[in-house]
Amino acid sequence: MGYQGHFRVWRGSDQGGGLEDFTVEVNEGEVVLDVIHRLQATQTPDLAVRWNCKAGKCGSCSAEINGKPRLLCMTRMSVFAEDETVTVTPMRTFPVIRDLVTDVSYNYRKAREIPSFKPPAGVAPGEYRMQQVDVERSQEFRKCIECFLCNNTCHVIRDHEENKESFAGPRFLMRVAELEMHPLDEADRVAQAQSSHGLGLCNITKCCSDVCPEHIKITDNALIPMKERVADQRYDPIVWLGNKLFRRS
Amino acid sequence: MPELERHSFDVLVIGAGGAGLRAAIEAREHGMRTAVLCKSLFGKAHTVMAEGGIAAAMGNVNSNDSWQVHFRDTMRGGKFLNNWRMAELHAREAPDRVWELETYGALFDRTKDGRISQRNFGGHEYPRLAHVGDRTGLELIRSLQQKVVSLQQDDFAETGDYESRLKVFQEFTVTDLVLDDGRVAGAFGYWRESGRFVLFEAPAVVLATGGIGKSFKVTSNSWEYTGDGHALALRAGASLINMEFVQFHPTGMVWPPSVKGILVTESVRGDGGVLRNSDGKRFMFDYIPEVFKDKYADNEAEADRWYADPEHNRRPPELLPRDEVARAINSEVKAGRGSEHGGVFLDVSTRLPAEEITRRLPSMHHQFKELADVDITAQPMEVGPTCHYVMGGVQVDPDTGASSVPGLFAAGEVSGGMHGSNRLGGNSLSDLLVFGRRAGAGASGYVSELSARPVCSSEAVAEAERVAVAPFSGSDEGGENPYTLHMELQQAMNDLVGIIRKAEEMDQAIKRLDELKRRAATLVVEGHRQFNPGWHLALDLRNMLVVSECVAKAALMRTESRGGHTRDDYPQMEADWRRKLLVCRLPGADGPGASVEVVEEPQIPIRSDLLELFEHAELQKYLTADELEG
C-alpha cells in the first residue's frame, strides 16, 4: 500500500532558491497535494503552497509537476512509478513569492482591462430571454476556474516578459470571446481584442487548451473564432475600400 | 518593529464569498468607501464549491411556486426553529437577487422558452433551483467578482483609480476586531504573504466568513472554514445562536482516503439518482419520518413516476431533507449494509443515459473519474455523510444583519437563524445574496448616521499584535505543534460531537476541548512570518477551539433530536424545545481562561399570517398545545 516516495520541491523566495530533496510517505489514492501537505505536517511546517477546495474547482493549487503545468489536487500519485522522483516547482511565468506560491497579480490586472458585461438597454431584470443553445457557447468559457495555467504555459508571456504589457493571455482573451458571444451583451469587442488585448500575438499552438484542467477548448472555441471575427472586420476588402473612400480609419 | 500599515474605510467586509461580495457591492452602491478582506485569492472563496443551485421561487418550471411555498419548505426543512422573519425575507427576495445576477452577466441554464431553468432538490416542493450544470457556485462567485470589477472600472473612469471606492485585500487574515467603548472601530490582521500587520480603521464591519467545518475530520469544507467570523463576533461581545445544529451532507466521497468528505452534489438525487445498500435495496423507503409521510412516496413505482408527473405522485424519499438522508445512511452502514469503504451506493448510471449524465453533472463525472477512477455513467458512487454547513451563527437583526454589537453585521453562513435546525439544499446561495445585500445596506445606514467615528486605541492594537506573534515566542520545551493539535481537535469533534450524539461523549468532548485549549497556549511555530502556514494554522486554531466549544456545550444542553442535532439518548423532537434558542457568549473574552457560556432564551413566536400558510394538522406536529390555542 504505502511507500516512501522521492520528492524534489523548489524552495525559496524572490531572492532566489533551489530544489530540495525529500523522502515522504505516499498512500493509496493520494494526489500530489496530499504529499505536499504531509511534508508541511511532518518535515517543513513553513512550506508555502496555495490551495482551497482540493477538488479541482477553485483553481488555487496551480504549479508545475515534472515541468508540466498542473493542479496539485488533481494529479494522482498513481500516475508516477514508485521509484520516480516527483519534482514540484512554482509556475514559471509569474514572479515567485515563496516556495510554490507565485504573484499572480498580472491576471487580476488584465481582468480589469476587459470592459465588463454591458446589459441590454431597456430589458428589466427578470425579462432576460436566451436559448440554451445560445448560452452554451459562453457557458463553456465560464467553466474557467482561473487557475491561470493557460497563461502560465503560453509562450507569448512565458518566454517574453515584455509582452505582458500588451497581451491579456488566453484566460482573458477567452473572457473577451465569452462576452462577445453572450447573447445579450451590447458592446462590440472585436476591434479591441486585437488592438488592446493582443489577440494578434496568439499563434494558436494550443498549449493553453492542452493544460486546461477543465478541458475547455480555448483555442478552437474562443481564440480562433475571435481571430475570424477580427479578420472579418479588419480585412474585409469591401470594408477596407469603404474606409479608404470615406476616410474612416 | 516596522511601522504598522494603516487603512481607513467606511465599511469593511470580511470574506469574499457570495455574502461578502454582495455586501460589498451594496455598500459601494450606497456611496461607502468599502474594503473586502479575504484569506484566499479573490474569486476562490468556498462559494465556488456549491454545486446544485440557488433556490428562488421564480416559478419558471412550475408556475404554482411562490414565495409562500418556498417559505413553508424552508420552515419545514428547519423543523420550525428558523427565525421566521429571515425565512420570509429570504423567500420573498430570492428571485430578485437571481435576476440581478443576470444583469451582472451570469448565464444560467435555460428553459425552452428562454427563461432560467429550475431543478428539483431535497425538501423543495417544486423545481426551484436556478443552476448552471453542477457548477452553480462558480457562476455565482464569478458573476459577483465581475460585478466588483465592473464597479471598479466605473470608479477608474471617474477618478483615475480602480480602487478609490472598492478595494479587495486578498490573502489577508483578520485576527481581531478592535472596539471603542463597545462599538466597532476597526480590524487587525496580517498579510499572509509577508506576515506584516495591518490596522483597518472602520466604523462598520460585515462578517461574511462562512462556516466552521475544519473543526471536523470528515468535511466538505476547505482550510478557510475555521469559524473566524463566529469567533471574532464572540470575542467582540456578540452572541451566537443554534450552534448545536451542524449539517452533515449525506453524500460526500468516501474513497480514496485523500478525498474523503469531498461533496457529491444533491443534484445527483434531484436528477434521478438513488441510494442503495450492499443488498442492492433502495433503503430510503424505510426512513420516511412521520412528519413527512404524506409528502414522500412509500414505493418505488410511485417515486419513479414523480419525475414525469409530480402533480399526481409523491416525491422519492431520496429527496428528503439532508438531515434525514444522512441519518439513514449512517444507520445502514452501522447495520452492516454499507459499501466496501464504509459508505452506501449512489447510483445514477442505471437511471439516466450516459450523455444526459455528463451534460447535467459534468463536474461530478470529472471529479469521480479523476480522483476515484469511477465512471459514474457506468458505475455507482460510494458516498457517506460529511460535515458540510453550520446552521448556527451570529444572532442578527433579520432586516439589517446587525448583531448586538454596534457596527458589527453578519451575513451568510456565519449568521444564524435563517435555516433553523437544518438548511435545505439551494437555500444557501440565495441566503448569501439576500442577506449579503441587506447587511451591506444595514452597515451603510449605520455609518451614515454616525456623528463621530470610533477610534482604535493604541493599547487595543498592541494587544492584538501581542496575541498574533505569541506562537513564535512559545517555550521550546513542551511546545505544541499546530498540525498535531488540529488533528486531535478534528478527531474529537468527529467522534464525540458528530452526526449522532450522546451526553457522556459530549461531556468527554468538553473536557478534551478544555485540555486542547490549555495546550494551545503553548503552541510553537518555526520559521518567520512570511507565508508561513504553520503560523496561520496556529492563529486559526484559537477560533476553531472556541467555536467547537460552542457546538459541544449547546449540543449537550439540547435534550432532544431536531434537524442537524441528533441525540441517541433523546431521539424525539420536543415541541417545548422549539420555543427555545441556545445562545452562546464569551464573557471575559480578553482573558486567557475565558470559557463559553450557553443560556436558554425564548424563540420569537411566528407571525400569525405566516402560521396561517400551514395546515393546522401540520402545525400540531411542531407546536405546543398552548401555542396552537394562541
Side-chain angles (χ1 to χ4, degrees):
Chain A
M1 299 289 278
Y3 66 95
Q4 296 295 311
H6 302 290
F7 266 68
R8 192 169 270 188
V9 182
W10 195 91
R11 299 214 61 195
S13 67
D14 56 350
Q15 307 297 312
L19 291 166
E20 284 181 24
D21 285 277
F22 298 96
T23 301
V24 54
E25 185 185 321
V26 178
N27 298 311
E28 191 191 2
E30 287 185 334
V31 294
V32 173
L33 184 60
D34 292 315
V35 180
I36 297 288
H37 281 158
R38 184 164 300 117
L39 280 177
Q40 274 186 342
T42 57
Q43 303 179 36
T44 58
D46 58 349
L47 171 64
V49 60
R50 271 197 192 103
W51 67 286
N52 263 2
C53 76
K54 221 174 162 291
K57 292 188 201 318
C58 76
S60 300
C61 61
S62 309
E64 300 187 4
I65 303 173
N66 292 348
K68 283 209 176 114
R70 310 199 55 149
L71 295 178
L72 297 174
C73 75
M74 295 301 277
T75 306
R76 299 187 66 186
M77 286 305 297
S78 57
V79 303
F80 307 107
E82 292 194 4
D83 57 0
E84 193 176 343
T85 299
V86 179
T87 304
V88 188
T89 49
M91 288 194 283
R92 205 184 84 191
T93 301
F94 310 118
V96 166
I97 293 172
R98 214 163 85 84
D99 304 339
L100 301 176
V101 176
T102 56
D103 173 1
V104 292
S105 56
Y106 160 83
N107 299 285
Y108 290 92
R109 267 199 316 280
K110 291 297 161 187
R112 273 187 188 158
E113 291 170 8
I114 313 291
S116 296
F117 172 65
K118 191 174 175 200
V123 184
E127 297 303 319
Y128 286 33
R129 296 290 179 273
M130 295 174 262
Q131 289 305 310
Q132 182 63 34
V133 60
D134 295 325
V135 298
E136 268 168 13
R137 291 184 295 176
S138 296
Q139 278 184 333
E140 182 192 2
F141 310 142
R142 290 181 73 82
K143 274 169 32 186
C144 171
I145 57 174
E146 296 203 332
C147 62
F148 309 127
L149 287 174
C150 58
N151 282 0
N152 173 53
T153 204
C154 180
H155 60 91
V156 174
I157 43 177
R158 189 176 175 95
D159 302 324
H160 301 276
E161 187 67 28
E162 70 278 10
N163 284 338
K164 281 188 177 168
E165 192 59 35
S166 52
F167 186 64
R171 161 63 189 122
F172 295 102
L173 288 167
M174 180 175 81
R175 166 77 171 143
V176 178
E178 173 215 314
L179 288 161
E180 175 64 19
M181 297 178 195
H182 189 300
L184 295 178
D185 178 66
E186 293 209 325
D188 180 9
R189 298 167 185 280
V190 175
Q192 274 200 342
Q194 190 82 0
S195 62
S196 311
H197 310 309
L199 181 63
L201 287 169
C202 161
N203 44 14
I204 56 173
T205 52
K206 298 198 181 186
C207 310
C208 52
S209 307
D210 284 346
V211 300
C212 177
E214 287 292 303
H215 307 301
I216 301 171
K217 295 196 170 73
I218 306 172
T219 317
D220 289 349
N221 293 350
L223 305 182
I224 291 175
M226 281 309 287
K227 280 175 173 282
E228 287 171 348
R229 290 179 194 204
V230 170
D232 278 352
Q233 262 189 22
R234 275 173 75 114
Y235 306 113
D236 183 308
I238 296 171
V239 174
W240 176 83
L241 188 64
N243 284 345
K244 279 280 169 203
L245 289 175
F246 301 105
R247 288 164 187 262
R248 291 185 302 201
S249 57
Chain B
M1 188 153 297
E3 196 164 320
L4 184 69
E5 181 181 336
R6 284 170 183 264
H7 300 278
S8 179
F9 284 90
D10 297 323
V11 175
L12 288 185
V13 178
I14 306 179
L21 294 182
R22 189 62 192 81
I25 289 166
E26 195 66 16
R28 151 67 180 72
E29 289 188 329
H30 277 74
M32 296 291 127
R33 276 197 76 234
T34 305
V36 178
L37 316 181
C38 52
K39 293 210 284 191
S40 285
L41 291 173
F42 185 31
K44 307 294 181 201
H46 206 54
T47 305
V48 304
M49 293 294 285
E51 291 162 353
I54 168 165
M58 297 182 285
N60 291 352
V61 172
N62 188 324
S63 57
N64 291 325
D65 204 7
S66 65
W67 78 260
Q68 289 92 339
V69 184
H70 190 183
F71 170 81
R72 262 197 328 238
D73 290 344
T74 300
M75 294 296 290
R76 283 172 187 145
K79 299 271 163 48
F80 279 68
L81 195 84
N82 318 55
N83 177 305
W84 56 265
R85 176 62 177 161
M86 290 178 95
E88 180 196 13
L89 289 170
H90 168 258
R92 281 181 189 265
E93 294 176 3
D96 283 338
R97 297 287 79 75
V98 174
W99 288 324
E100 187 174 70
L101 287 180
E102 289 199 305
T103 71
Y104 299 172
L107 284 172
F108 292 101
D109 289 343
R110 318 306 295 182
T111 60
K112 285 224 162 50
D113 63 355
R115 293 187 293 173
I116 295 173
S117 175
Q118 300 186 267
R119 69 157 44 116
N120 283 305
F121 233 58
H124 293 280
E125 188 163 344
Y126 298 116
R128 190 176 284 145
L129 270 67
H131 55 90
V132 186
D134 53 4
R135 56 161 191 87
T136 314
L138 174 64
E139 187 68 12
L140 188 112
I141 203 89
R142 204 63 84 226
S143 301
L144 292 167
Q145 182 184 354
Q146 287 164 351
K147 177 64 178 179
V148 166
V149 167
S150 160
L151 290 168
Q152 291 178 326
Q153 289 171 344
D154 294 349
D155 292 341
F156 180 76
E158 212 180 297
T159 67
D161 177 3
Y162 284 109
E163 296 172 332
S164 53
R165 297 188 180 119
L166 177 52
K167 182 163 177 164
V168 179
F169 294 80
Q170 53 182 1
E171 301 197 308
F172 184 91
T173 302
V174 172
T175 57
D176 271 303
L177 297 177
V178 181
L179 301 182
D180 177 9
D181 195 20
R183 295 179 306 164
V184 166
F188 178 89
Y190 62 90
W191 288 108
R192 300 179 74 80
E193 215 174 285
S194 62
R196 280 193 58 193
F197 293 130
V198 185
L199 174 68
F200 286 88
E201 292 165 305
V205 167
V206 178
L207 298 173
T209 52
I212 66 164
K214 268 296 161 192
S215 300
F216 291 81
K217 189 175 170 202
V218 180
T219 175
S220 65
N221 293 175
S222 84
W223 65 266
E224 295 195 281
Y225 266 38
T226 50
D228 296 4
H230 290 80
L232 289 171
L234 274 177
R235 291 201 293 267
S239 43
L240 308 185
I241 55 170
N242 294 349
M243 289 305 289
E244 64 275 35
F245 299 108
V246 176
Q247 181 171 80
F248 290 82
H249 194 291
T251 59
M253 293 176 80
V254 295
W255 196 91
S258 79
V259 297
K260 191 164 178 158
I262 289 179
L263 191 65
V264 179
T265 176
E266 191 167 329
S267 322
V268 175
R269 284 170 285 136
D271 289 353
V274 294
L275 291 165
R276 292 203 178 92
N277 61 21
S278 57
D279 304 333
K281 183 180 175 197
R282 258 179 91 173
F283 57 83
M284 279 309 299
F285 292 102
D286 303 338
Y287 293 93
I288 305 169
E290 199 51 45
V291 288
F292 290 120
K293 280 254 189 294
D294 47 344
K295 301 258 180 242
Y296 288 83
D298 53 13
N299 62 86
E300 289 196 33
E302 181 180 351
D304 285 347
R305 285 197 304 269
W306 174 84
Y307 292 98
D309 181 12
E311 300 281 324
H312 301 100
N313 296 287
R314 289 172 298 174
R315 309 159 59 80
E318 279 86 0
L319 292 179
L320 278 160
R322 288 176 175 171
D323 52 330
E324 311 288 356
V325 183
R327 272 192 297 272
I329 293 174
N330 200 62
S331 304
E332 286 296 306
V333 174
K334 265 199 175 156
R337 294 187 292 269
S339 66
E340 185 191 345
H341 301 103
V344 294
F345 297 102
L346 171 60
D347 183 29
V348 68
S349 67
T350 58
R351 311 275 299 170
L352 289 176
E355 60 274 21
E356 192 66 0
I357 296 171
T358 45
R359 192 181 69 77
R360 291 203 209 182
L361 304 164
S363 82
M364 282 307 102
H365 182 246
H366 184 232
Q367 180 175 316
F368 271 89
K369 208 162 172 183
E370 305 261 333
L371 294 174
D373 280 330
V374 168
D375 176 2
I376 67 165
T377 66
Q379 299 159 267
M381 300 161 245
E382 269 186 85
V383 297
T386 178
C387 177
H388 184 54
Y389 188 88
V390 62
M391 270 64 75
V394 182
Q395 188 169 28
V396 292
D397 167 54
D399 290 68
T400 61
S403 75
S404 59
V405 174
L408 185 62
F409 298 77
E413 190 171 351
V414 68
S415 71
M418 158 69 206
H419 304 288
S421 66
N422 174 50
R423 174 176 70 77
L424 292 185
N427 271 0
S428 181
L429 293 185
S430 39
D431 169 11
L432 305 182
L433 296 173
V434 167
F435 294 103
R437 174 180 158 276
R438 284 189 162 272
S444 305
Y446 170 82
V447 171
S448 39
E449 280 174 16
L450 277 181
S451 50
R453 285 169 87 99
V455 179
C456 298
S457 73
S458 51
E459 297 80 52
V461 176
E463 174 59 14
E465 196 165 328
R466 188 194 64 75
V467 171
V469 295
F472 285 108
S473 50
S475 64
D476 290 336
E477 282 167 59
E480 292 281 346
N481 173 339
Y483 294 98
T484 311
L485 217 62
H486 185 210
M487 278 193 296
E488 288 184 36
L489 168 68
Q490 291 181 314
Q491 194 72 53
M493 291 303 284
N494 228 74
D495 295 349
L496 305 174
V497 203
I499 181 164
I500 309 288
R501 301 161 173 177
K502 48 180 107 160
E504 64 260 31
E505 289 183 350
M506 288 183 287
D507 271 328
Q508 220 181 315
I510 291 166
K511 286 195 194 90
R512 190 83 58 88
L513 287 170
D514 220 41
E515 178 207 317
L516 287 173
K517 248 189 345 190
R518 262 202 308 279
R519 286 167 54 193
T522 67
L523 278 175
V524 175
V525 293
E526 287 176 35
H528 43 80
R529 272 163 44 196
Q530 198 193 20
F531 219 117
N532 185 339
W535 178 47
H536 301 166
L537 180 59
L539 294 177
D540 293 344
L541 262 172
R542 174 166 80 127
N543 299 335
M544 285 187 266
L545 284 167
V546 72
V547 168
S548 299
E549 195 181 335
C550 292
V551 176
K553 286 185 170 170
L556 180 62
M557 268 177 83
R558 185 172 283 271
T559 49
E560 65 155 353
S561 291
R562 180 186 297 272
H565 171 64
T566 305
R567 291 282 299 253
D568 210 28
D569 43 2
Y570 296 93
Q572 299 304 313
M573 183 165 76
E574 305 288 345
D576 252 342
W577 266 112
R578 196 205 67 78
R579 292 200 283 179
K580 295 175 201 164
L581 289 177
L582 294 178
V583 182
C584 305
R585 295 194 183 85
L586 189 63
D590 302 333
S595 150
V596 170
E597 255 178 39
V598 187
V599 291
E600 249 179 60
E601 286 179 20
Q603 166 82 287
I604 312 151
I606 304 173
R607 206 174 66 212
S608 60
D609 62 307
L610 294 175
L611 268 187
E612 281 160 19
L613 295 172
F614 298 91
E615 303 274 339
H616 188 76
E618 182 170 12
L619 291 179
Q620 282 178 317
K621 298 173 191 167
Y622 297 101
L623 273 54
T624 60
D626 54 310
E627 281 178 286
L628 286 166
E629 275 167 34

